Amino acid sequence: MRVLIQMKPDRDVVEAVANPQLTATTQDVAGSMPGVELDQSFTPVALPRPVPSTAEGDPLSLTQPLRFSMRPEDATVLVRGEIHDYDAASRLSMLALSRSQIVGVSADPVIQTSPTCPGDGPVGNWQDVKNLLAELGADDLDGSGIALAITDTGINTQHLSNELDRPVTVDAARSWNPPGVTGKPGQFPVDHGTMCAFDALIAAPKATLIDVPVLLSQQQGPTVMSGLLSDAVAAYSHLWSVLETMPDDKRALVVSNSWGSFSPRWDFPPSHPGNYSDNPGHPFNLMVTALESAGADVLFAAGNCGLDCPDGRCEFPDRPIVGANSHPRALSIGGVDTRGNRVGYSSQGPGRLDPNKPDICAYTHFEGSHAFGAGEPDSGTSAACPVAAGVVAAVRTQWSANVIKPAELRILLQRTADDRGAAGFDHDYGFGIINVPAIMDALRRRSKNGHGIRR
């Protein structure tokens, strides 16, 4: 069983891990740990400590205003390793007691992309989607200057440029590879990540892409697109440092995530403190909270475990929107076709971290990137998520996170959504389908009434 081990080493070690100018290895942090095969190739990650924003706050609650401290006396450090599956419960208990520096042991489940079930041809094409989102262009909301991170299998800019018939920008300096992944940003094989980048650029054609190929992790898995959540933790730590370098008045980072966990077998039981699927205190879920608190808009695909046409890998017996895909600080995106009908594989709520999931739906199952060949649709909530991320990036062109905080923007997208299904929120469509004309109307009224100043 793969695990993330959360440790509190000496102050100078924490400082070395947290400082991007310094280097600290797993050996520096953990030394030897009998009974655990530590992954020496994994660069330790500093995990900020959530701290109540007020002196009267509850230090044990995540449901209150928080700040995140990376001070050496507050931060902890994550390393990853593997323990025997035999007698796992006892071994986990003993591991937590074996070293005073160990403060927690969490699951490191496999994560995978969310492709659709095969068979159906595309419903419409990406030009149809572009037309549905066209009003963004009336106010020049095109993603200019906005960093849009695609955390997936890597991006191929040549393919994107060929399909879109124009240049595409990838910021190599702010991109990031997992340990052992040697490809260059924007030059990865055409695959799922290229599809996601294409779909994000429909609404935000001038956004600057950040290539974060977390699903090219070097772990062994059932598909070439398997990854490890620990790499996503490290990726989010990198994105946090990217965000921290931005001036407050221009802060804007959109993070699109079209992946998730499909099976409870990859996780600790829900009652275990290191569980991922149901536990907002898991290190990755804390990282999502920290990144959102710093000003990032985080979007996750709801998943392809809908009752009508579930992906064959779906093994959660119920409530398949798990972990960060159901995070209260992230937008969980379901899928509809270009006619506005929910696709059968789009996962239904309630979510496990937040019951009111998915939040909204966006368009999928259309002919678009041709990443998987001619006639193959961009499908799954994997496509819906970056379509919505592109809309968010377009809004950020003129409305920074300093003016409209990520939480406010989530509420705006929910309240303006085109209600479908049962009246009001429901677990099929969430609050409804993303509705660009209504978003634009709300933004214009906000500007007219003086509630916030554009960038």
Side-chain angles (χ1 to χ4, degrees):
M1 175 175 288
R2 295 184 178 90
V3 292
L4 279 164
I5 303 171
Q6 188 174 354
M7 305 189 68
K8 186 65 177 175
D10 293 340
R11 178 190 178 104
D12 60 332
V13 177
V14 178
E15 287 180 323
V17 174
N19 188 341
Q21 306 303 318
L22 302 177
T23 301
T25 66
T26 294
Q27 178 67 28
D28 297 330
V29 174
S32 63
M33 195 174 290
V36 181
E37 185 178 345
L38 290 170
D39 184 348
Q40 300 295 338
S41 70
F42 181 75
T43 302
V45 177
L47 186 69
R49 176 188 174 191
V51 180
S53 296
T54 62
E56 299 77 22
D58 180 353
L60 302 182
S61 174
L62 294 173
T63 58
Q64 61 181 330
L66 296 169
R67 60 182 178 84
F68 286 81
S69 172
M70 197 65 93
R71 298 170 60 185
E73 59 268 34
D74 292 331
T76 52
V77 176
L78 295 173
V79 296
R80 78 179 178 193
E82 193 165 352
I83 62 173
H84 291 296
D85 291 335
Y86 173 73
D87 197 17
S90 296
R91 296 182 70 85
L92 287 168
S93 297
M94 293 300 293
L95 174 58
L97 297 172
S98 64
R99 293 266 294 272
S100 60
Q101 291 181 324
I102 296 178
V103 297
V105 181
S106 299
D108 186 15
V110 176
I111 52 178
Q112 297 186 4
T113 52
S114 302
T116 185
C117 53
D120 297 334
V123 180
N125 58 40
W126 73 275
Q127 293 288 354
D128 297 324
V129 177
K130 183 178 179 181
N131 291 337
L132 289 164
L133 310 177
E135 194 166 336
L136 290 164
D139 280 17
D140 296 325
L141 301 184
D142 55 13
S144 294
I146 303 302
L148 174 52
I150 304 295
T151 61
D152 212 276
T153 62
I155 297 169
N156 187 295
T157 51
Q158 186 60 58
H159 180 85
L160 293 174
S161 295
N162 292 343
E163 292 293 326
L164 294 166
D165 195 26
R166 60 176 176 77
V168 171
T169 302
V170 170
D171 187 336
R174 294 193 289 183
S175 296
W176 179 90
N177 280 7
V181 175
T182 57
K184 295 182 178 179
Q187 298 182 27
F188 290 99
V190 177
D191 210 321
H192 193 268
T194 300
M195 179 195 79
C196 293
F198 181 96
D199 297 337
L201 293 173
I202 296 173
K206 295 186 178 180
T208 298
L209 299 174
I210 296 180
D211 198 355
V212 187
V214 295
L215 295 176
L216 294 184
S217 166
Q218 295 303 291
Q219 72 94 35
Q220 298 297 312
T223 76
V224 296
M225 293 187 291
S226 297
L228 282 177
L229 198 61
S230 47
D231 286 329
V233 175
Y236 269 50
S237 177
H238 166 77
L239 292 173
W240 198 46
S241 66
V242 168
L243 197 59
E244 291 289 302
T245 64
M246 297 180 182
D248 285 345
D249 62 341
K250 296 185 182 303
R251 186 163 289 198
L253 171 66
V254 183
V255 188
S256 183
N257 304 270
S258 292
W259 47 266
S261 176
F262 283 85
S263 172
R265 294 186 295 107
W266 302 342
D267 198 355
F268 292 164
S271 59
H272 190 283
N275 169 271
Y276 164 64
S277 304
D278 298 73
N279 176 17
H282 185 279
F284 183 68
N285 293 328
L286 281 178
M287 272 295 191
V288 172
T289 306
L291 193 63
E292 189 268 358
S293 297
D297 299 293
V298 182
L299 295 89
F300 272 87
N304 298 335
C305 296
L307 294 176
D308 305 280
C309 180
D311 183 282
R313 294 169 295 173
C314 298
E315 294 186 357
F316 283 95
D318 58 12
R319 299 170 64 196
I321 308 178
V322 307
N325 303 71
S326 63
H327 200 292
R329 301 286 191 97
L331 269 175
S332 177
I333 308 298
V336 296
D337 63 27
T338 55
R339 300 167 183 162
N341 298 317
R342 174 183 160 273
V343 292
Y345 47 73
S346 180
S347 293
Q348 294 127 312
R352 290 185 176 249
L353 298 190
D354 181 348
N356 289 339
K357 298 293 178 178
D359 289 279
I360 57 175
C361 288
Y363 301 103
T364 183
H365 215 91
F366 51 84
E367 184 176 6
S369 68
H370 297 140
F372 299 105
E376 292 295 325
D378 289 4
S379 63
T381 55
S382 286
C385 180
V387 167
V391 173
V392 172
V395 171
R396 289 297 184 204
T397 309
Q398 295 188 22
W399 303 85
S400 73
N402 189 46
V403 177
I404 300 180
K405 297 186 182 305
E408 295 175 306
L409 185 52
R410 289 197 301 276
I411 293 172
L412 186 150
L413 295 178
Q414 293 166 351
R415 288 182 175 173
T416 55
D418 183 10
D419 191 14
R420 299 294 176 96
F425 175 85
D426 63 73
H427 287 134
D428 289 339
Y429 289 88
F431 287 92
I433 302 172
I434 197 165
N435 186 342
V436 164
I439 293 169
M440 298 301 296
D441 183 56
L443 290 174
R444 289 163 184 155
R445 282 190 282 110
R446 182 187 177 99
S447 180
K448 182 179 179 181
N449 294 330
H451 298 303
I453 302 171
R454 297 184 178 191
R455 299 176 76 186

